[in-house]
Amino acid sequence: MIYKRCEAQPFKDSKKMPVDFVKLQAPTDLWAFQTMDRKPIQYMNRLFRPSLTTTEVGFPKYWTSKVSDNEKGFYHKIDLVRGRHELCNSLWKYYHGHNACSFTLNECFDALEKLCLDVGEDAFQFVVNHLEIGVFFQVNFDLIQKVRMTYKNSAFDAMKKSKSREVYGWRLQLTQFEIKLYDVRAKQRLAKEVIDAPVGSYRFEIKYYDKKILRKMGVKVTEDLFIGECPLFIHWQNVVQTIVFELFPDIPSGLKTSDIKNLCLYLSDGFEEFQRIVKQKPSGKTDLARVKDSVERNRMLLDGKINLKELLLEAFNSSLLLCGKKYT
């Protein structure tokens, strides 16, 4: 099959985004893998090896094919129990070798064209079962320690590596998708990977792991990500708009201890409950007034270094593709 791009045609108000991790399902005829022969099978230009465990009739439960970490290639799994062939990888890393950089929708399209050539199949017709949409950005301070996030009154949980107290990001897992913000270098270090991300590198991602929301948003096969106005990308923007980002200020060492306490209380998750309780006490109004006085006198400290919501949407817009692409 030969793929070629048509001349770019502008879409009005098109809002599109590249994707990171994907789990795709290929329309593979599994009969060739229903064998008791333990020899590897060549398929899609890859060598598949059988599992040691078998089905009730003696077939391998699954066949897998993977490449070394350095190659950043797709991991293949042919599951005879579920009856499907899935491919997993980060399109970002597949194209660039890492994801601590920008990644446009143009490059996302190129990555899928590369996959077509690698497997000898039309990857634009592979079914999408899992999808991450993200942006990469940089700031010159420790964002993870400074930021707290809520989405529809749900607070984000700290991201930690097993047996480590270090918080390297924030995550909120919902029924159909997960939102996360993390420090790329800290994640690489804790995972004992090669630290190649620039200082101040961060990623914000929404992971869609429920097929129902993908189908509802018009995504069934990878081609759907490049046709017209994909509702999934609008959903991504709406989620970002709904998140409440709170950035803790840089508090100078010369500030009075009482003001530091009041500012920390004002910025804490328990401030609303504090207001409710102190209002019931005789001295409550005075105590609350002290806090508010500290806040007003130090209002300049509360002005965040950045508007994180605008930063994410700007990174989103820098990846927009204002053209249509088709293949034959």
Side-chain angles (χ1 to χ4, degrees), residues 196-211:
D196 53 11
V199 175
S201 296
Y202 295 89
R203 289 189 58 81
F204 175 88
E205 301 167 348
I206 300 180
K207 178 194 295 184
Y208 296 93
Y209 45 73
D210 189 327
K211 287 187 287 187

